[in-house]
Amino acid sequence: MNIPATRQDLMKVNMGPHHPSMHGVLRLIVTLDGKDVIDCEPILGYLHRGMEKIAENRTIIQYLPYVTHWDYLATMFTEAITVNGPEKLGNIQVPKRASYIRVIMLELSRIASHLLWLGPFMADIGAHTPFFYIFRERELVYDLFEAATGIRMMHNYFRIGGVATDLPHGWIDKCLDFCDYFLTGVTEYQKLITRNPIFLERVKGVGIIASGIQWDLRKVDHYECYDEFDWEVQWQKEGDSLARYLVRIGEMTESIKIIQQALKGIPGGPYENLEIRYFDRERNPEWNDFEYRFIKLYVRVEAPKGELGIFLIGDQSVFPWRWKICPPGFINLQILPQLVKRMKLADIMTILGSIDIIMGEVDR
């Protein structure tokens, strides 16, 4: 850390790794001049579990149960990125019905993630009522997940070429009912929070970063079948904690629009490409020969917290040669020291909560 040499009365304070507002085992070494933040050094690695090395010693089916422990609040996205890489390597076609089911599950997972961001974020800045409200809708999302996958959180639902099972009878009607109900819940959140003067005092102009670009990988990369739906990219130009709140509220509303369109237009047909059961071992047995070539690939999806990517090196065998995870939480956390400088000590919790980190994906 760079501490001004002229300051003699600076104080170093440890925040975390056991502080409840750290949102995981994150440790911050904060240098203070009174209540003003001079410097901040994040200390990571308390939750490192070797997820990337495990991937190199497992088949995709064996590895899928692990990936939901990266971001355990947006588990469908970690499953999606895990199967998207091998699908691109093998040029595997996903049936239209399976793609629609994936979009529905991804957007439900986005809503669940944003809800469990909103509640603790409001609790961090002193508003505890929304923390209880968000569990009301989140449990309904998990009820839908349980009905479709059999598991509430760690679903293990995505497969190479499709999904594990089709949607059960009556599930679509229940999901449509949830969409209608959830829109009233979002309106309730906005009435309770958005114009609250205490809330605005805590978040407006706090943690400003450069912003204002309409960027969403669902529009940029055209993956799955998002191009078939009518929805808008959510963005704000202010770049403060309030803007990040407004973007996530808007994204939940847009997710409902996408889900409703997908449910009403979901086609028939198979939910999995049954012709794909394994990867052919199309490689030279002399793997260390000079002519041997690996295939390098980077795939990404628009996760609730940002761009979730995987850098994959493979040779069409059942095991990846290299598997590197690029989690959005790790990227977002790198700007924290710059966001909190010259702010007050109490603003650290606001800024940290607003960038929405999950240490499971940061440490991997």
Side-chain angles (χ1 to χ4, degrees):
M1 294 185 297
N2 296 322
I3 301 176
T6 57
R7 296 288 181 89
Q8 302 296 329
D9 54 349
L10 300 180
M11 177 184 297
K12 286 187 179 180
V13 176
N14 275 287
M15 302 184 68
H18 302 297
H19 194 286
S21 292
M22 289 290 105
H23 301 277
V25 283
L26 170 65
R27 179 188 174 199
L28 301 178
I29 302 178
V30 184
T31 305
L32 299 174
D33 178 18
K35 292 185 179 180
D36 297 322
V37 179
I38 303 299
D39 202 355
C40 175
E41 180 183 1
I43 306 296
L44 313 176
Y46 292 98
L47 204 58
H48 176 62
R49 294 153 294 170
M51 286 293 179
E52 295 168 331
K53 185 55 65 175
I54 292 175
E56 298 169 10
N57 297 277
R58 300 288 188 278
T59 65
I60 298 300
I61 294 299
Q62 291 172 335
Y63 186 56
L64 271 171
Y66 287 87
V67 303
T68 52
H69 296 78
W70 304 349
D71 182 354
Y72 34 79
L73 303 183
T75 51
M76 290 294 184
F77 291 90
T78 59
E79 294 185 22
I81 196 66
T82 301
V83 300
N84 284 353
E87 285 172 353
K88 285 193 174 183
L89 277 179
N91 194 24
I92 299 171
Q93 300 299 315
V94 179
K96 182 59 71 72
R97 181 176 179 85
S99 183
Y100 269 65
I101 294 174
R102 285 182 175 186
V103 167
I104 293 168
M105 294 301 176
L106 289 173
E107 295 309 310
L108 285 174
S109 188
R110 189 185 311 277
I111 291 172
S113 177
H114 283 343
L115 285 174
L116 204 55
W117 162 80
L118 178 62
F121 173 62
M122 296 304 299
D124 287 345
I125 60 179
H128 294 276
T129 301
F131 183 79
F132 297 101
Y133 281 16
I134 62 100
F135 281 99
R136 184 180 55 192
E137 283 76 33
R138 180 174 172 267
E139 286 304 303
L140 295 177
V141 175
Y142 280 8
D143 288 342
L144 292 171
F145 283 155
E146 184 178 16
T149 70
I151 306 174
R152 295 183 71 82
M153 287 189 66
M154 313 301 179
H155 312 292
N156 192 18
Y157 186 63
F158 280 55
R159 294 291 185 272
I160 297 176
V163 293
T165 58
D166 203 352
L167 298 176
H169 178 72
W171 192 93
I172 292 178
D173 293 333
K174 289 183 178 179
C175 193
L176 284 171
D177 292 341
F178 164 77
C179 291
D180 294 335
Y181 169 76
F182 183 73
L183 289 176
T184 62
V186 173
T187 302
E188 186 178 27
Y189 298 150
Q190 291 175 311
K191 289 181 179 179
L192 180 65
I193 301 171
T194 305
R195 296 185 179 180
N196 186 297
I198 301 176
F199 169 73
L200 293 176
E201 187 70 22
R202 291 297 308 272
V203 299
K204 196 170 184 179
V206 175
I208 299 176
I209 58 176
S211 60
I213 300 176
Q214 299 186 46
W215 180 268
D216 193 302
L217 294 178
R218 293 171 289 178
K219 293 279 191 182
V220 175
D221 288 354
H222 311 286
Y223 64 90
E224 297 299 349
C225 53
Y226 281 104
D227 289 341
E228 301 181 18
F229 307 124
D230 179 25
W231 59 282
E232 300 294 332
V233 175
Q234 294 300 298
W235 66 287
Q236 297 286 329
K237 62 181 180 180
E238 291 79 11
D240 56 3
S241 297
L242 176 60
R244 291 189 279 276
Y245 158 80
L246 293 174
V247 166
R248 292 188 179 102
I249 290 291
E251 282 192 348
M252 288 193 286
T253 303
E254 293 300 312
S255 292
I256 290 295
K257 288 171 57 178
I258 295 173
I259 294 170
Q260 288 175 327
Q261 295 174 67
L263 290 171
K264 294 175 182 178
I266 187 170
Y271 58 87
E272 185 182 12
N273 189 341
L274 298 179
E275 297 180 359
I276 304 300
R277 289 297 185 181
Y278 62 93
F279 287 113
D280 296 329
R281 299 177 65 88
E282 299 178 0
R283 65 175 187 176
N284 191 335
E286 299 295 333
W287 63 269
N288 58 346
D289 187 77
F290 181 77
E291 297 297 328
Y292 188 71
R293 293 292 183 269
F294 286 109
I295 302 174
K296 298 180 181 180
L297 180 68
Y298 179 74
V299 292
R300 57 186 184 176
V301 297
E302 185 69 30
K305 300 165 182 62
E307 179 181 316
L308 171 62
I310 287 178
F311 178 69
L312 177 64
I313 302 179
D315 55 359
Q316 292 190 339
S317 68
V318 294
F319 300 107
W321 196 74
R322 281 291 182 268
W323 184 282
K324 297 299 181 183
I325 307 166
C326 179
F330 183 74
I331 298 172
N332 297 341
L333 193 59
Q334 294 182 46
I335 65 171
L336 181 66
Q338 300 301 320
L339 293 180
V340 302
K341 284 182 180 179
R342 296 177 297 278
M343 305 300 292
K344 298 296 183 182
L345 176 63
D347 293 329
I348 293 181
M349 294 297 98
T350 301
I351 297 171
L352 181 63
S354 71
I355 63 177
D356 192 13
I357 63 165
I358 295 294
M359 295 307 295
E361 69 171 9
V362 173
D363 290 338
R364 303 182 293 284

